Amino acid sequence: MFHSLANRVRLVALNLTRKLAQPAQGGGVTGLSLLARRSLLTSRRLGLLGRGRGLLGGTAAAGAFMWQDAGAALAHGLHTSSGLLGGAAASLFGGRLEMGLLGWLAVDLGINWAGWAVAAALKTEKFYDLLGSASFLTLTVGSLVVGGASGARKLVVSGMVAAWAVRLGTYLVTRVVKTGGDARFDDVKEQPGKFFVYWTMQAVWVFVSLLPVLCINGGRSPVPLGPLDALGMAVYGLGLTLEVVADWQKAAWKARPENKGRFIDEGLWSLSRHPNYCGEMMIWWGVFLTCAPGFGAAWQYVSVASPVVVMLLLRYVSGVPLLEEMGEKRWGTEPAFQEYKARTNLLLPLPRFKDTHVN
């Protein structure tokens, strides 16, 4: 008798396994709800239900009915676009955009936290900028592919970010190789906790900066480019040019032996103490302005946080304050440096109306 019962249970289990793989066919019925129904039927056959006797019979009955209700409810969530798991799964393959943003955030954090783990173990910052650029490229290209590369706007804004990431990443990595390190991390790379904050900040910077592009690449109804997009492209182009020229001028300045240990005061740097950061800010405003006309929902305009956060980070956190402090430590006692600061704009590379340069 026991052998016969075991064979019956094994047969039921085999049938349930096959049913679980079947998709919903109306009313939210899936393998999970079939499991509950079959469990209920099996329990009745075994004589555990319908007799109304004993704690075991009551528990089995309650459990069977709970499985049936829970199975139907969960199945409905899994197979409708409003279900949390359904939304998450759909987003990973080009579905709902809200859940897609969380998915890309997870990828972004994964890249940078893995980088931190290795960097903290080796006590090095040499591939910090490399993984930053890799994060930008991964999220940009990934969202373009997953969202479906249709529409000129998707290709344009993705190309804008990709070109910037490759250019800046190459420049920063080359600089670190030449100089042997990055002074920003001298006090933190041997402190894993503080170092982790820097890597997490980079991940947040990448994700927030890419919000407009992620919104566009995740859209299913692309909006054609129009005249207003020319403004965004122009701002981006001007900003990229400003950044490239400023970086090139500074690299050329440092390459001349006679300038070793001196501060730069020529070209764009004679008009602004941080012209490259000004260009960086313009780049992300240009990206946002090119994305905005293609937004399909009002909430996507929240992605204006992208250029705003870039401006705030560079102006008040990780850009200007650090370099201004370093400049004061190196040349703060030099009258020429103080005069340079007094007559030169902090960010905007505007012409000087009076040349008071001290040789």
Side-chain angles (χ1 to χ4, degrees), residues 8 335 345:
R8 180 179 297 181
N345 292 318

Side-chain angles (χ1 to χ4, degrees), residues 166-334:
V166 171
R167 204 290 309 180
L168 183 61
T170 302
Y171 171 77
L172 293 177
V173 171
T174 302
R175 185 180 67 180
V176 169
V177 171
K178 287 182 178 180
T179 59
D182 192 328
R184 295 176 298 172
F185 302 97
D186 288 345
D187 297 329
V188 300
K189 61 185 178 183
E190 296 188 3
Q191 303 178 56
K194 291 185 178 181
F195 208 17
F196 178 79
V197 173
Y198 275 73
W199 283 89
T200 303
M201 286 179 58
Q202 175 165 262
V204 173
W205 166 55
V206 170
F207 179 73
V208 174
S209 298
L210 283 178
L211 276 176
V213 178
L214 294 175
C215 288
I216 289 298
N217 285 349
R220 292 300 185 181
S221 301
V223 178
L225 293 172
L228 291 178
D229 296 299
L231 174 62
M233 295 180 195
V235 172
Y236 168 87
L238 180 59
L240 184 62
T241 301
L242 188 61
E243 185 176 76
V244 170
V245 171
D247 286 342
W248 174 80
Q249 289 178 340
K250 192 169 188 178
W253 164 273
K254 289 184 176 182
R256 300 201 296 268
E258 65 270 21
N259 292 329
K260 185 177 181 179
R262 299 175 56 194
F263 61 91
I264 182 173
D265 183 18
E266 66 179 31
L268 291 173
W269 299 86
S270 67
L271 307 177
S272 165
R273 302 203 296 277
H274 307 282
N276 54 337
Y277 288 156
C278 181
E280 180 78 0
M281 296 174 186
M282 294 179 66
I283 285 171
W284 291 104
W285 274 110
V287 170
F288 173 77
L289 292 173
T290 308
C291 289
F295 290 157
W299 70 264
Q300 293 177 339
Y301 286 93
V302 173
S303 63
V304 71
S306 168
V308 171
V309 168
V310 168
M311 288 182 64
L312 293 177
L313 282 176
L314 292 178
R315 176 61 183 87
Y316 298 106
V317 182
S318 64
V320 172
L322 291 178
L323 292 182
E324 288 287 297
E325 182 180 354
M326 290 171 59
E328 280 297 321
K329 289 181 179 179
R330 291 179 180 178
W331 308 295
T333 58
E334 297 182 19

